[in-house]
């Protein structure tokens, strides 16, 4: 009988920092949640809760619209 690994649940960094609003101009924070191709990382990889993932997505879309973040990195 093989051993099954327990999946470690990731904690939301934004909840631990007690973040209520994510500013679209904070590029250092937003770039942590975007992969090398410019796509938004899913919450199962970065460990965000649903609430903060929605706010993060909205901030990244706003930053892209204002041309602070690229849509794609080639």
């Amino acid at each position: 009988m093989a051993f099954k690994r327990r999946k470690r649940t990731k904690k939301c960094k934004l909840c631990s920092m007690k973040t209520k609003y994510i500013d679209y101009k904070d590029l250092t924070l937003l770039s942590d949640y975007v992969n090398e191709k410019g796509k938004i990382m899913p919450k199962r990889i970065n460990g965000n809760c649903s609430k903060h993932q929605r706010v993060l997505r909205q901030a990244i879309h706003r930053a892209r619209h204002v041309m602070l973040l690229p849509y794609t990195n080639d």
Side-chain angles (χ1 to χ4, degrees), residues 11-14 33 43 46-50 52-53 56:
K11 304 291 182 188
C12 180
K13 282 193 257 180
L14 300 171
Y33 296 102
K43 72 177 193 171
N46 60 25
N48 284 343
C49 63
S50 298
H52 282 117
Q53 185 71 15
L56 183 72

Side-chain angles (χ1 to χ4, degrees), residues 18-71:
K18 296 182 181 175
T19 305
K20 292 185 180 180
Y21 177 73
I22 300 172
D23 194 17
Y24 69 93
K25 295 173 276 189
D26 188 7
L27 298 180
T28 56
L29 178 70
L30 296 180
S31 62
D32 292 340
Y33 296 102
V34 177
N35 67 6
E36 63 275 355
K37 292 190 176 185
K39 293 185 174 184
I40 302 171
M41 294 194 313
K43 72 177 193 171
R44 64 182 165 81
I45 292 176
N46 60 25
N48 284 343
C49 63
S50 298
K51 175 182 143 185
H52 282 117
Q53 185 71 15
R54 282 192 302 271
V55 175
L56 183 72
R57 182 187 62 82
Q58 186 179 27
I60 290 173
H61 281 263
R62 284 182 181 164
R64 284 177 177 166
H65 186 72
V66 184
M67 300 297 284
L68 295 174
L69 280 178
Y71 283 96

Side-chain angles (χ1 to χ4, degrees), residues 2-14:
F3 290 103
K4 289 188 178 181
R5 284 194 180 178
R6 292 180 111 185
K7 289 186 178 180
R8 191 182 314 173
T9 58
K10 295 185 179 183
K11 304 291 182 188
C12 180
K13 282 193 257 180
L14 300 171

